Amino acid sequence: AYYVTDGEVTTLKNVLTHLLGTRGVPPIKRSVRFGFAWRMAGVMEAVWRILRLRAKPPITRQTLRMIGKDFTLDISKARRDLGYVPVTNWYEGIAQMRG
């Protein structure tokens, strides 16, 4: 797999804060502890399963695995094998979105 990003190291919270900021949404200031969210997601999954609800719960443990902990996408393989070079950096892109 190849990861293609702007090469910046950041967090999902930072990305969402800046993206939403381009639309006038104030910064994210509150959060829930991961352990609490994990337990609540498990409860929701169980309730949905017991009630045989078709839709997915508002939050699942699978979603939390993807968004609940920081991780880094390494683009060195794309740089090496494909000659990938980011066209712009994160902050220039956000500035362009602001207009």
Side-chain angles (χ1 to χ4, degrees):
Y2 292 96
Y3 296 107
V4 179
T5 72
D6 58 10
E8 298 284 330
V9 176
T10 190
T11 63
L12 180 60
K13 182 177 180 179
N14 188 47
V15 168
L16 292 176
T17 298
H18 281 95
L19 285 175
L20 293 171
T22 67
R23 300 298 171 243
V25 177
I28 302 166
K29 294 187 180 192
R30 299 182 345 179
S31 63
V32 174
R33 291 181 179 247
F34 183 82
F36 177 75
W38 185 263
R39 286 188 298 279
M40 291 305 298
V43 168
M44 287 184 203
E45 289 173 3
V47 169
W48 260 246
R49 192 171 40 255
I50 290 167
L51 298 178
R52 296 183 179 173
L53 299 174
R54 285 188 161 160
K56 290 186 179 181
I59 190 76
T60 64
R61 289 175 291 181
Q62 180 179 358
T63 302
L64 283 175
R65 282 186 196 102
M66 293 172 39
I67 67 170
K69 297 284 185 177
D70 292 336
F71 61 93
T72 303
L73 299 176
D74 182 358
I75 66 171
S76 62
K77 184 177 175 184
R79 285 182 191 267
R80 182 187 65 242
D81 296 351
L82 306 175
Y84 171 74
V85 178
V87 175
T88 188
N89 70 39
W90 171 254
Y91 298 101
E92 290 169 354
I94 287 295
Q96 290 173 10
M97 289 178 73
R98 288 186 195 278

